[in-house]
Amino acid sequence: MALRAYVVEDNPTIRENLIDTLEELAQVKTVGAAENESEGTNWLTRHADRWDLAIVDLFLKKGSGLGVVQACRKRSPKQAVIVLSNYATQDMRKRCLALGVDAVFDKSNQIDALIDFCIARSQRQMSA
């Protein structure tokens, strides 16, 4: 069973490549995407039963990924929120984890770790 993922990423090339990669390698089915904070926040909160994984970039055309993360704080324990950003500094990782993020990955060098996270999460979901 594939994880149902929602992607909040403002760069269309990165978004499309990420979706293709995760669907091909990590047992993920993308259920939607947004390029700004309000669109992502609205969809994730209004469709709380339709996603298992939210993948959020920190810097968006309008708003911030931190706002999206904050909106997901009351999610089900079965749902995961991860940050995928070029700005995955130690301080930003701490801030994201304090907001309840399950993991933070650097776009430039941790895509394999993101794939591994998704595969592990999917396998846990299947065995539950």
Side-chain angles (χ1 to χ4, degrees), residues 59-115:
F59 294 102
L60 305 169
K61 285 183 182 173
K62 290 184 181 177
S64 165
L66 292 175
V68 177
V69 167
Q70 214 161 5
C72 295
R73 287 190 82 150
K74 295 181 181 178
R75 68 187 179 274
S76 160
K78 294 179 181 180
Q79 294 172 308
V81 175
I82 63 164
V83 167
L84 179 64
S85 177
N86 284 322
Y87 194 67
T89 64
Q90 200 60 22
D91 286 341
M92 189 54 75
R93 288 175 187 272
K94 288 178 186 175
R95 188 169 177 192
C96 290
L97 294 172
L99 289 173
V101 168
D102 295 280
V104 178
F105 299 101
D106 190 312
K107 283 182 190 177
S108 63
N109 61 13
Q110 291 188 305
I111 297 298
D112 288 342
L114 168 62
I115 292 168

